[in-house]
Amino acid sequence: MKAIVNVGLKQGVLDDQGKATHHALDTLGFKEIVKNVRIGKQIIIELNSSNEEEARTEVTKMCEKLLANTVIEDYNIEIVG
Amino acid sequence: MKAIVNVGLKQGVLDDQGKATHHALDTLGFKEIVKNVRIGKQIIIELNSSNEEEARTEVTKMCEKLLANTVIEDYNIEIVG
């Protein structure tokens, strides 16, 4: 069983990396098509568990304790196969 | 229209960040449930385009030129509403 955790900055928090990437894309000729860029982390965790509910509970704890800074970041968890 | 681009290290490339996170999770009491951790980037691009095919073509160019280092990284692109 695998958990895919996406961690991104909350709305309203300045996204430096996203802004820099947006600027770089503009200079590379994508100015007209790119409206906004935001950058986050994707964390893929292989789990020793076959119980989806248990997996989700444990991964939520991991997010709260370590993976996300919940003051400025949001996260979502997807449990797969 | 929005593109979600996930960029991760190729299989076989050492994932320092993933290893460090795995170790930290072990010490936080998740040793039994965590088998492996890999960390990548998630880039969310808002696009001025309503044509999915055009969007995918342009975002593929962005990945090849800037967003991914294709020597060591893989990427996948998801186009959403």
Side-chain angles (χ1 to χ4, degrees), chain A residues 42-53:
Chain A
Q42 185 175 63
I43 304 159
I44 298 168
I45 306 170
E46 276 177 59
L47 297 164
N48 286 316
S49 170
S50 51
N51 178 332
E52 183 171 339
E53 203 178 323

Side-chain angles (χ1 to χ4, degrees), chain B residues 8-66:
Chain B
L9 290 168
K10 290 186 178 177
Q11 288 293 341
V13 177
L14 180 68
D15 181 356
D16 272 338
Q17 250 193 103
K19 280 218 183 313
T21 304
H22 189 171
H23 179 71
L25 288 172
D26 282 355
T27 63
L28 285 170
F30 299 105
K31 198 177 180 88
E32 275 172 30
I33 200 173
V34 176
K35 209 152 66 181
N36 192 36
V37 180
R38 292 184 75 79
I39 295 193
K41 274 174 296 187
Q42 185 174 64
I43 304 158
I44 298 169
I45 307 170
E46 274 178 61
L47 298 163
N48 286 317
S49 170
S50 51
N51 177 333
E52 183 172 339
E53 203 178 323
E54 180 202 35
R56 189 173 293 276
T57 306
E58 290 301 303
V59 175
T60 303
K61 282 189 215 159
M62 295 177 204
C63 287
E64 294 288 332
K65 283 191 179 174
L66 180 76

